[in-house]
Amino acid sequence: QVQLQESGPGLVKPSQTVSLTCTVSGGSITTKHYYWSWIRQPPGRGLEWMGAIDYSGSTYYSPSLKRRTSISRDTHKNQFTLQLSSVTPEDTAVYRCARGVYANDYWGQGTQVTVFS
C-alpha cells in the first residue's frame, strides 16, 4: 500500500516562497514509470494540477504556474518537494501530493497553506 504524507508551513506571508514536502512510503519514487504530482484546491474551487516529477527525475509544470514552481526530489528519503515562489493570497489552498498525472491512484491527505499579510 502506497502512502503519501505532505508537510510544510501552514502560514506564509505574501512574496515568500513556500516549500512543501511529500514523503512516500510503501513504494519508491524511482519505480518505473510512475509520476508524482502536486495538486491544489483553493477554497470554493476545483482541483488544480501544479506539476509533477517522474521516476527519472524529469519535471513537468502547469503553464500557468511554471514561472513560480519548482519540483525536486530526494531519492534517499523517498521524498519530493514543491517550491512555490512569490506567493499571494490567491495561492491559499489545500495542497496535496499524489501518484500519477491524468489519473491519481494514491493521494496524501493534504496540507493547508494560507497566505496572509
Side-chain angles (χ1 to χ4, degrees):
Q1 178 82 4
V2 176
Q3 294 182 315
L4 298 89
Q5 178 66 59
E6 305 90 346
S7 60
L11 299 174
V12 293
K13 295 184 177 181
S15 80
Q16 289 185 337
T17 295
V18 62
S19 181
L20 301 175
T21 296
C22 182
T23 301
V24 180
S25 59
S28 172
I29 62 173
T30 62
T31 299
K32 294 182 178 179
H33 298 268
Y34 288 117
Y35 292 68
W36 304 89
S37 291
W38 283 100
I39 299 163
R40 68 180 181 179
Q41 185 167 24
R45 298 173 64 181
L47 296 172
E48 179 183 21
W49 180 80
M50 301 180 69
I53 188 165
D54 73 13
Y55 60 96
S56 70
S58 296
T59 52
Y60 312 84
Y61 299 105
S62 166
S64 64
L65 293 170
K66 183 176 183 178
R67 183 176 58 84
R68 300 194 293 127
T69 305
S70 177
I71 298 175
S72 59
R73 66 179 186 172
D74 185 331
T75 57
H76 297 292
K77 295 182 179 179
N78 213 34
Q79 297 174 333
F80 61 105
T81 297
L82 169 74
Q83 289 192 312
L84 181 65
S85 63
S86 304
V87 297
T88 73
E90 294 291 308
D91 294 309
T92 293
V94 174
Y95 287 73
R96 301 179 73 182
C97 54
R99 190 173 77 173
V101 175
Y102 300 109
N104 307 103
D105 54 358
Y106 292 101
W107 293 76
Q109 64 181 17
T111 186
Q112 174 71 43
V113 174
T114 301
V115 182
F116 78 108
S117 57

